[in-house]
Amino acid sequence: MLKRLLLVGMLCAPVAAWAFFKPVRVVAPELAGISCLNDTLCTDDVSRYQEAAKLYDEALYFVDLSVGSIENKPRVIFCSSDTCSQFFEMGQRAGVNVGTFGIVISPRAWKPYYVRHEMIHHLQNEKLGMIKAWREPKWFMEGMAYSLSEDPRQKLSEPFEQYRSQFEGWYSLVGKDRLWTEASNL
């Protein structure tokens, strides 16, 4: 009896995670009708595939060149509808990074700097590990993403403007060559 309950629990756990913890859905978005055109690019509107692919490629190139090399290309889901965003429980967020599993981009975030921002979070998770990245100071994680993505907004809402300024002050002392070594010491 105990073995059966354990077996049922083990079989139900992934389904429950997919159903109730919506960011896990980046692993299998096809189950919700999202079209994945390859292993790294998905969208709810296939007619916008070329636009999504261009944003993806530009962000990947930019981050590799400017911030650091991404080892495992992330899966990025480009939502063009509020229904898609709600499916991933994005709320008002422009993008969501789910560790090294994937990224979700909201309808308003189909802009280069938003995609670069989320790719930087992916790189942070790769370089620092997901647990350390989650525990890093917010000023570092968000400040780095806002600053190094070249977000063009002159003034961000608080606390994000403060995070960007604090990161830029730290980065001016550390530099690109020592970025990841010093980040691991935070």
Side-chain angles (χ1 to χ4, degrees):
M1 178 68 167
L2 183 59
K3 287 183 181 180
R4 283 187 182 170
L5 286 175
L6 186 59
L7 179 62
V8 169
M10 287 175 37
L11 292 172
C12 291
V15 174
W18 191 86
F20 298 111
F21 185 62
K22 293 185 181 171
V24 171
R25 294 178 180 182
V26 300
V27 176
E30 300 93 337
L31 295 174
I34 308 291
S35 298
C36 292
L37 303 155
N38 57 40
D39 290 341
T40 59
L41 186 59
C42 305
T43 183
D44 62 333
D45 183 355
V46 182
S47 71
R48 294 183 72 187
Y49 171 74
Q50 293 294 7
E51 180 184 359
K54 183 178 177 188
L55 287 165
Y56 183 100
D57 291 342
E58 186 278 335
L60 187 65
Y61 177 78
F62 179 92
V63 171
D64 277 347
L65 189 66
S66 304
V67 186
S69 181
I70 292 177
E71 292 178 31
N72 298 301
K73 293 180 181 180
R75 169 177 276 183
V76 179
I77 300 163
F78 286 87
C79 288
S80 63
S81 68
D82 289 334
T83 303
C84 178
S85 290
Q86 290 169 3
F87 177 75
F88 292 100
E89 290 188 347
M90 295 185 69
Q92 297 300 313
R93 294 174 290 186
V96 174
N97 180 280
V98 184
T100 57
F101 298 105
I103 296 167
V104 183
I105 300 296
S106 77
R108 72 181 172 95
W110 288 55
K111 294 181 174 78
Y113 64 94
Y114 280 121
V115 182
R116 293 187 298 233
H117 180 112
E118 295 305 325
M119 287 249 190
I120 290 169
H121 284 315
H122 176 84
L123 181 62
Q124 290 168 333
N125 281 290
E126 278 191 349
K127 295 285 191 186
L128 301 171
M130 288 189 295
I131 293 174
K132 180 150 178 59
W134 178 66
R135 295 179 61 197
E136 282 295 314
K138 284 276 190 200
W139 69 263
F140 173 79
M141 299 301 288
E142 290 301 329
M144 177 183 188
Y146 280 109
S147 177
L148 299 184
S149 68
E150 297 183 0
D151 190 311
R153 293 174 287 180
Q154 294 297 315
K155 188 82 169 158
L156 299 169
S157 63
E158 289 300 341
F160 302 109
E161 183 62 32
Q162 181 182 355
Y163 293 163
R164 179 167 60 182
S165 294
Q166 189 171 356
F167 172 80
E168 288 174 350
W170 177 86
Y171 190 62
S172 70
L173 299 173
V174 170
K176 182 180 177 184
D177 293 338
R178 294 188 5 235
L179 171 65
W180 297 110
T181 304
E182 294 299 321
S184 66
N185 295 327
L186 290 174

